[in-house]
Amino acid sequence: HSPEGFDCVINGEYQVSCLRDGSEVYFPFSFLKNYFEVYGKIVSEDGEERFEWFHSYSKIYHPKGKYDPKGVFMYFDNYNVEVRERVKCITASEGVPVSTQWEPRGYFYPIQIAQFGLAHYSKYIAEAEPNRLVLEDGDRTKALWFVADGASFTRKFLTDINNFVIEFNTQESLNSKGIELKLSESLTDFILNLNLKFESNGSVEVIVEDKEKKSNFHLFYVCSDLWITSKGNKIFHGLGDCNSWRRLTRDLLVDLQKGQSLSEKGKRILRSRARVTAVIFRGVGYADNITLSSSEHLAHFYDAADWFVKHQDDEGGWPIDVKRHLGAGVEDLDAGWYSAMGQGQAMSLLMRAYYSSRNEYYLSAALDAVKPFQALSEDHGVKAVFMDKYIWFEEYPTQPSSFVLNGFIYSLIGLYDVAHAPDSMGSEARDLYIQGIRSLKAMLLLYDTGSGTLYDLRHITAGGAPNVARWDYHSTHVNQLLLLSTIESDPVFATTAKRWQSYMNGKRAPHN
Amino acid sequence: HSPEGFDCVINGEYQVSCLRDGSEVYFPFSFLKNYFEVYGKIVSEDGEERFEWFHSYSKIYHPKGKYDPKGVFMYFDNYNVEVRERVKCITASEGVPVSTQWEPRGYFYPIQIAQFGLAHYSKYIAEAEPNRLVLEDGDRTKALWFVADGASFTRKFLTDINNFVIEFNTQESLNSKGIELKLSESLTDFILNLNLKFESNGSVEVIVEDKEKKSNFHLFYVCSDLWITSKGNKIFHGLGDCNSWRRLTRDLLVDLQKGQSLSEKGKRILRSRARVTAVIFRGVGYADNITLSSSEHLAHFYDAADWFVKHQDDEGGWPIDVKRHLGAGVEDLDAGWYSAMGQGQAMSLLMRAYYSSRNEYYLSAALDAVKPFQALSEDHGVKAVFMDKYIWFEEYPTQPSSFVLNGFIYSLIGLYDVAHAPDSMGSEARDLYIQGIRSLKAMLLLYDTGSGTLYDLRHITAGGAPNVARWDYHSTHVNQLLLLSTIESDPVFATTAKRWQSYMNGKRAPHN
Ligand SMILES: [Ca+2]
Ligand SMILES: [Ca+2]
């Protein structure tokens, strides 16, 4: 005998085509995956096929040791913020991402910028030294430059920076030839890094070839405030102020991808098909230390940290200039709100920048960032109080309060990092951290559904269905608890992390 | 082609034998039912077989109208408390159930007694008038009695009760013949109801025949404080005080079942196989109004209400004389605790007894039952406070507080019933009810897991995994909210009930 088709009636509501073999009835995965929201597919290994069923799609990263305010930030060495679709581009003026998540024209989102910086810092710590090829430094390494008719090119010692640099003087027009460095076919890295200063309205052009199509993309970095624009195979990033020395670090593949996305969403050239073929300068200016690397994490990290130093306001905050609609029953946040998570992640970033550079202004910015934690949400701060009892720091300082869990814990990690500032400078942060941990211990299990976690407590404050965390937020919760378990003695963090992780494999809390 | 065996790997942990048919993979229900705890079976209808899948096994009862403190209590007309296995017996002394749930020797559990009474009250309202056959009333209906040698039998007018009764004087020995009434084979009812008074240590015996086996069971109601005992086919219930007039109402099949269970757990003679063949009196005494009925709900109801009047203590409570172990992290309750649910259900019962009888002592007991709501759990009351803010009434007044949801709502219903007492006698209950509803509105969604409900909040107060409500408690939550939605204007009760009911069909709250 063999299995036969059989009708299955689901909760008296609808019918599914099953198979029956004796007393056993078999349900199709196409039904199960929707009914239970599980995952799975047929996989093949060594010619053997099988079906792999997964209860969740997320991953847990077990910390390797005690959390260190100077070390890798959680598992952020696995993050790649800039390739996310909701990142419009990395600005060439400040080297930070622009978000389009809640506003398609784009805006600076402190959380995203901090995560970009923390990811690069963590990769810097976790990864091996990059390949780094200096193409031209005006001094020890000299490249062969093709100089257009009527243009000039020299190498020159500048006393203000005490260094040999290249000096060029060409037409500004992007159609003109400029001075051009053609690159060897053997180069396979895509991080361009150089020092740059224009005396005029100049530009840097980088040509990237699609090896398969034998066609070229042209990346232009121009003296302008624009973020990104494209026209055909030309992609433009604005350098902002061109007339002072600055270091420009570009992930050329990211710039290319973002440019391509402007015309065709999600399109992305494969690394293996791309090759950097030329660097061209136009206008009047100087360049130095032109380098192609496999990565320049520290440079990206400092770009992010510098953004926070530059854009911190008088209240110590980084206002978010986009309206935020959280959901029914919760008032929208008007542009200009602070986020405890944004503040916290910035603090984690800035403390690392301070430790790594010993520049006091990073420390100072991190200490100032604590201020919004002292003010209630309705007073433009980030503090909420649960049931008049437990102080909470709000990722979204809404009315009524929303009590987003992961944002709160990120803010606690930021406070922890500042709490460890030298001398007793971190005492204010330390007090807030201690209060926050007390709240977290009291409230953590409010997020436990017995088979997953809740993203926030808006159902308690605003009514309606609980807002269940999708698996990647759930795994963030687990990862955060695992981190806290390395710095807090209360076993609730490790115990809860373990149970919450088991939910990802379909385990459930017992019922009575 | 036909479906073939296929290996399925579950979360990388273990393997299940599936079927594959092209790109569709089928999972056996034997796996699914354990993994997801769903229910189902093959059913046959009109010769057609199909599989019926159920997400839950419980039922929702939609209220027919606004909740009425004088009416049917929820859906308790569907309850049959006495047949539950954890009911040791219905005492013949007071006509109330004895629980063995947490203590095998048995104890009086106010909640069970109240539910027994409320179930019978609700059946009394909801059901049609019973069959009722008077066998002997000493006056208008006279039966044929077989009188043993040396025994006497007369019909006599007693001035103290102003009624004709039968008088008997026989040996006390249960082996003696007594006076016997043989019953017609046409009788199919099993509720025996009579007035009774002994001058000596007498007894009532009822013979129930197993028609198939042609064997007899002997139910003895004896002058003793015992609850129930058995010896072979003889089952003994104690009448308590025999020497005053009292009304005895016995469900003979229940008495038989409880007796059989003493020797063989769960054994139960089928109604269709049983027949009452004789009633025998022994000793010196009187009887009257000997009746066999299909039901005597009001008699059982008053037995329960009278128990509450008789056993209420000076603090207005019904102490529960059994230790209660709730779970890890929660201190055991020592014998003598009050339950807000016990108080509340008693109040619902007593108010109905008052309305139905107009006996003031029922009202008075109901009003006194409010007192333990004013005292905190640690002060032998039933009041807890959630996060120093919301007053709660505890089914189990534990340390730390447990915040059992269904028990709290039952207590609120009891308060509501007393709040509607005549004049302004219910004002104290009304204030407590209003406070309780305020807490319930604020805390209700703490129990919502997005796919079911929690039984209590012990995970918040004592730590550990949330205590998920099994489906019958979940459906109780839904039924309770549906009741509240008929007396409270806040839409949260109906909205939440609807969502919670949808969970029973596998629906889930959305994730982000
Ligand atoms: Ca140089
Ligand atoms: Ca009579």
Side-chain angles (χ1 to χ4, degrees):
Chain A
H1 75 121
S2 70
E4 291 182 348
F6 199 61
D7 289 336
C8 290
V9 178
I10 308 302
N11 299 318
E13 289 179 339
Y14 56 95
Q15 200 160 308
V16 161
S17 296
C18 295
L19 294 174
R20 178 180 176 179
D21 190 356
S23 63
E24 186 69 273
V25 174
Y26 292 80
F27 283 78
F29 188 72
S30 58
F31 157 69
L32 298 169
K33 75 169 193 246
N34 292 321
Y35 187 92
F36 292 114
E37 211 169 332
V38 288
Y39 308 88
K41 58 176 187 290
I42 294 170
V43 297
S44 182
E45 195 178 297
D46 305 332
E48 289 279 318
E49 285 190 316
R50 64 173 185 274
F51 189 91
E52 289 193 345
W53 161 298
F54 291 105
H55 202 80
S56 77
Y57 53 75
S58 267
K59 211 181 143 182
I60 297 304
Y61 298 92
H62 285 267
K64 294 183 187 77
K66 187 182 172 184
Y67 172 72
D68 174 6
K70 300 183 179 73
V72 165
F73 189 85
M74 293 185 73
Y75 50 89
F76 276 31
D77 48 320
N78 296 287
Y79 269 27
N80 193 341
V81 172
E82 46 270 51
V83 300
R84 293 178 187 165
E85 233 179 64
R86 62 178 179 265
V87 172
K88 186 185 187 77
C89 66
I90 304 300
T91 68
S93 53
E94 298 182 286
V96 297
V98 172
S99 177
T100 54
Q101 189 171 11
W102 303 315
E103 173 55 68
R105 72 171 159 74
Y107 59 96
F108 292 106
Y109 194 48
I111 291 173
Q112 190 179 72
I113 295 169
Q115 295 199 341
F116 169 79
L118 287 166
H120 281 292
Y121 181 80
S122 300
K123 286 176 201 281
Y124 164 71
I125 303 273
E127 292 181 4
E129 273 289 294
N131 300 324
R132 192 176 273 142
L133 182 70
V134 178
L135 304 172
E136 165 73 60
D137 65 5
D139 187 3
R140 281 176 297 178
T141 305
K142 294 176 183 171
L144 175 63
W145 293 88
F146 293 85
V147 181
D149 289 345
S152 74
F153 172 90
T154 54
R155 293 189 178 83
K156 189 174 179 180
F157 186 83
L158 293 188
T159 50
D160 59 335
I161 61 165
N162 194 31
N163 217 304
F164 278 95
V165 303
I166 65 167
E167 182 183 43
F168 48 86
N169 187 331
T170 83
Q171 290 182 43
E172 287 176 10
S173 163
L174 300 182
N175 298 319
S176 70
K177 287 207 153 180
I179 65 159
E180 179 172 1
L181 170 61
K182 292 189 195 294
L183 298 183
S184 154
E185 287 191 25
S186 66
L187 298 181
T188 57
D189 292 328
F190 291 94
I191 312 297
L192 178 68
N193 198 11
L194 65 151
N195 299 82
L196 187 65
K197 178 186 176 186
F198 287 103
E199 301 289 355
S200 71
N201 187 25
S203 65
V204 185
E205 177 185 353
V206 182
I207 303 175
V208 180
E209 183 192 31
D210 181 333
K211 290 191 275 186
E212 203 157 291
K213 286 194 182 165
K214 295 288 177 199
S215 64
N216 286 337
F217 293 97
H218 301 267
L219 296 167
F220 290 102
Y221 302 93
V222 298
C223 296
S224 151
D225 286 330
L226 74 82
W227 286 334
I228 186 170
T229 184
S230 78
K231 192 173 178 184
N233 55 1
K234 295 180 175 135
I235 296 159
F236 302 87
H237 288 78
L239 291 164
D241 170 29
C242 277
N243 303 131
S244 318
W245 277 107
R246 50 88 50 90
R247 186 141 190 93
L248 179 68
T249 309
R250 304 307 300 172
D251 185 327
L252 302 170
L253 280 180
V254 167
D255 289 349
L256 189 51
Q257 173 212 337
K258 298 304 176 187
Q260 286 182 285
S261 288
L262 291 181
S263 43
E264 217 172 326
K265 202 161 173 119
K267 181 154 184 173
R268 195 173 163 188
I269 193 173
L270 288 176
R271 169 177 293 266
S272 58
R273 271 173 59 172
R275 186 173 84 79
V276 187
T277 62
V279 177
I280 302 166
F281 293 97
R282 296 185 180 87
V284 181
Y286 311 94
D288 196 8
N289 297 328
I290 304 165
T291 310
L292 214 49
S293 315
S294 57
S295 69
E296 288 294 348
H297 295 310
L298 219 46
H300 294 306
F301 164 64
Y302 282 119
D303 279 349
D306 290 342
W307 185 91
F308 281 98
V309 171
K310 186 170 170 194
H311 294 279
Q312 190 170 33
D313 70 12
D314 292 345
E315 297 176 60
W318 291 277
I320 297 161
D321 284 324
V322 66
K323 194 186 179 81
R324 177 80 173 109
H325 173 74
L326 209 63
V330 180
E331 283 178 33
D332 288 352
L333 290 170
D334 287 330
W337 53 283
Y338 298 142
S339 166
M341 178 168 167
Q343 299 296 117
Q345 298 258 275
M347 287 149 71
S348 292
L349 177 76
L350 289 164
M351 288 307 295
R352 282 166 175 77
Y354 167 69
Y355 291 126
S356 156
S357 70
R358 293 290 155 182
N359 283 332
E360 296 286 341
Y361 53 80
Y362 293 128
L363 175 60
S364 170
L367 293 170
D368 287 349
V370 175
K371 284 184 208 160
F373 286 80
Q374 302 287 15
L376 289 170
S377 298
E378 57 259 45
D379 302 325
H380 200 233
V382 298
K383 185 166 75 171
V385 187
F386 186 71
M387 294 200 170
D388 300 336
K389 182 159 186 175
Y390 292 108
I391 282 173
W392 192 267
F393 309 123
E394 291 270 84
E395 177 171 351
Y396 305 112
T398 51
Q399 301 296 334
S401 306
S402 38
F403 300 105
V404 173
L405 179 59
N406 82 89
F408 177 56
I409 299 179
Y410 278 130
S411 79
L412 291 181
I413 298 170
L415 289 169
Y416 180 86
D417 290 344
V418 174
H420 286 77
D423 308 322
S424 58
M425 283 187 283
S427 63
E428 184 185 0
R430 191 172 155 276
D431 289 348
L432 289 164
Y433 172 78
I434 289 168
Q435 284 181 63
I437 285 288
R438 174 178 164 269
S439 300
L440 183 61
K441 286 183 196 169
M443 293 170 60
L444 181 64
L445 298 186
L446 293 174
Y447 296 82
D448 192 330
T449 71
S451 57
T453 49
L454 301 180
Y455 179 78
D456 55 29
L457 299 182
R458 73 177 72 168
H459 62 307
I460 305 299
T461 59
N467 186 20
V468 177
R470 62 172 186 260
W471 287 118
D472 34 27
Y473 283 117
H474 178 78
S475 60
T476 296
H477 295 158
V478 175
N479 287 317
Q480 291 180 324
L481 295 190
L482 290 172
L483 182 156
L484 291 175
S485 75
T486 71
I487 55 175
E488 287 292 327
S489 58
D490 193 314
V492 71
F493 298 113
T495 307
T496 305
K498 192 174 173 191
R499 185 172 64 252
W500 288 6
Q501 191 176 355
S502 79
Y503 296 161
M504 297 171 71
N505 288 332
K507 308 295 185 296
R508 290 184 304 274
H511 60 69
N512 59 1
Chain B
H1 74 121
S2 71
E4 290 181 349
F6 199 60
D7 288 337
C8 290
V9 179
I10 308 302
N11 299 318
E13 289 179 339
Y14 57 96
Q15 200 161 307
V16 161
S17 296
C18 294
L19 295 174
R20 177 180 176 180
D21 190 356
S23 62
E24 186 68 272
V25 174
Y26 292 81
F27 282 77
F29 188 73
S30 59
F31 157 70
L32 298 169
K33 75 168 190 242
N34 292 320
Y35 187 92
F36 291 113
E37 212 171 331
V38 287
Y39 308 87
K41 58 177 188 292
I42 294 170
V43 297
S44 181
E45 195 178 297
D46 304 332
E48 289 280 317
E49 283 191 318
R50 63 172 186 272
F51 189 91
E52 289 193 346
W53 161 299
F54 291 105
H55 202 80
S56 77
Y57 52 75
S58 267
K59 210 182 145 183
I60 298 303
Y61 297 92
H62 286 268
K64 293 183 188 80
K66 187 181 173 185
Y67 173 73
D68 174 7
K70 300 183 180 74
V72 165
F73 190 85
M74 291 185 75
Y75 49 90
F76 277 29
D77 48 319
N78 296 287
Y79 270 25
N80 193 341
V81 172
E82 47 270 49
V83 299
R84 294 178 187 164
E85 234 179 63
R86 60 178 180 267
V87 171
K88 187 185 186 75
C89 66
I90 305 300
T91 67
S93 54
E94 298 182 287
V96 297
V98 172
S99 178
T100 55
Q101 190 171 11
W102 303 314
E103 172 57 66
R105 72 170 158 75
Y107 58 97
F108 291 106
Y109 193 48
I111 291 173
Q112 190 178 72
I113 295 169
Q115 295 199 341
F116 169 80
L118 287 166
H120 281 292
Y121 181 79
S122 300
K123 286 176 202 281
Y124 163 72
I125 302 274
E127 292 180 3
E129 274 286 297
N131 301 324
R132 193 175 272 141
L133 182 69
V134 178
L135 303 172
E136 166 74 59
D137 65 7
D139 186 5
R140 280 176 298 177
T141 306
K142 295 177 183 173
L144 175 64
W145 293 87
F146 293 84
V147 182
D149 288 347
S152 74
F153 172 90
T154 53
R155 294 189 177 84
K156 189 175 180 181
F157 187 83
L158 294 186
T159 50
D160 58 339
I161 60 166
N162 192 33
N163 219 305
F164 277 96
V165 302
I166 64 169
E167 182 183 44
F168 48 85
N169 189 330
T170 82
Q171 290 183 43
E172 288 176 10
S173 163
L174 299 183
N175 298 319
S176 70
K177 287 208 152 178
I179 65 160
E180 178 171 2
L181 170 61
K182 293 189 195 293
L183 298 184
S184 152
E185 288 190 26
S186 65
L187 298 181
T188 56
D189 293 326
F190 292 93
I191 312 298
L192 179 67
N193 198 11
L194 65 153
N195 299 81
L196 188 64
K197 178 187 176 185
F198 287 103
E199 301 290 355
S200 70
N201 187 25
S203 65
V204 185
E205 176 184 354
V206 181
I207 303 176
V208 180
E209 182 192 30
D210 181 334
K211 289 190 277 184
E212 203 158 293
K213 286 193 182 166
K214 296 286 174 199
S215 63
N216 286 338
F217 293 97
H218 301 265
L219 295 168
F220 290 102
Y221 302 93
V222 298
C223 296
S224 151
D225 287 330
L226 75 82
W227 287 333
I228 187 170
T229 184
S230 77
K231 192 173 178 184
N233 56 359
K234 292 179 177 138
I235 296 159
F236 302 86
H237 288 79
L239 291 165
D241 170 30
C242 277
N243 302 132
S244 320
W245 276 106
R246 51 91 46 89
R247 186 140 190 93
L248 177 69
T249 309
R250 305 306 301 171
D251 184 326
L252 300 171
L253 280 179
V254 168
D255 289 349
L256 188 51
Q257 171 213 340
K258 298 303 176 187
Q260 286 182 286
S261 289
L262 292 179
S263 44
E264 216 172 325
K265 203 163 173 122
K267 181 152 184 174
R268 196 172 162 188
I269 192 174
L270 289 175
R271 168 178 293 266
S272 58
R273 270 174 59 174
R275 188 173 83 80
V276 188
T277 61
V279 177
I280 303 166
F281 293 96
R282 295 185 180 84
V284 181
Y286 311 94
D288 195 10
N289 297 329
I290 305 165
T291 310
L292 214 50
S293 314
S294 56
S295 70
E296 289 292 349
H297 295 309
L298 218 46
H300 294 305
F301 163 64
Y302 282 119
D303 278 350
D306 290 342
W307 185 92
F308 281 98
V309 171
K310 185 170 172 195
H311 294 279
Q312 188 170 33
D313 72 12
D314 292 345
E315 297 176 60
W318 292 277
I320 297 162
D321 284 325
V322 65
K323 194 186 180 84
R324 176 77 175 111
H325 173 74
L326 209 62
V330 180
E331 282 178 34
D332 287 353
L333 290 170
D334 287 331
W337 52 283
Y338 298 142
S339 165
M341 178 168 167
Q343 299 296 118
Q345 298 258 274
M347 286 148 72
S348 292
L349 177 76
L350 289 165
M351 287 308 294
R352 283 167 174 75
Y354 167 68
Y355 291 125
S356 153
S357 71
R358 294 290 155 180
N359 283 332
E360 296 286 340
Y361 54 81
Y362 293 128
L363 174 60
S364 171
L367 293 169
D368 288 348
V370 175
K371 285 185 207 160
F373 286 80
Q374 303 286 15
L376 289 169
S377 297
E378 57 259 46
D379 301 326
H380 200 234
V382 298
K383 186 166 74 172
V385 187
F386 186 71
M387 295 202 168
D388 300 336
K389 183 159 184 174
Y390 292 108
I391 283 174
W392 191 268
F393 309 123
E394 291 271 83
E395 177 170 352
Y396 305 112
T398 50
Q399 300 296 331
S401 305
S402 38
F403 300 105
V404 173
L405 179 59
N406 82 88
F408 176 56
I409 300 180
Y410 278 130
S411 79
L412 291 181
I413 299 171
L415 288 169
Y416 180 87
D417 290 343
V418 175
H420 285 77
D423 308 323
S424 57
M425 284 187 280
S427 62
E428 184 185 1
R430 192 172 154 272
D431 290 348
L432 290 163
Y433 173 78
I434 289 169
Q435 284 182 64
I437 286 288
R438 173 177 165 269
S439 300
L440 183 61
K441 286 183 197 169
M443 294 171 59
L444 180 64
L445 298 186
L446 294 173
Y447 296 82
D448 191 330
T449 71
S451 58
T453 49
L454 302 180
Y455 180 78
D456 55 29
L457 299 182
R458 71 176 74 169
H459 60 307
I460 305 299
T461 58
N467 185 21
V468 177
R470 63 173 185 259
W471 288 118
D472 34 28
Y473 283 118
H474 177 78
S475 59
T476 296
H477 295 158
V478 175
N479 287 319
Q480 290 180 324
L481 296 190
L482 289 173
L483 182 156
L484 291 175
S485 75
T486 72
I487 54 175
E488 287 292 327
S489 58
D490 194 315
V492 70
F493 299 112
T495 307
T496 305
K498 193 175 172 188
R499 185 171 64 253
W500 289 5
Q501 191 176 356
S502 78
Y503 297 161
M504 298 173 71
N505 287 332
K507 308 296 184 296
R508 290 184 303 275
H511 59 69
N512 59 2

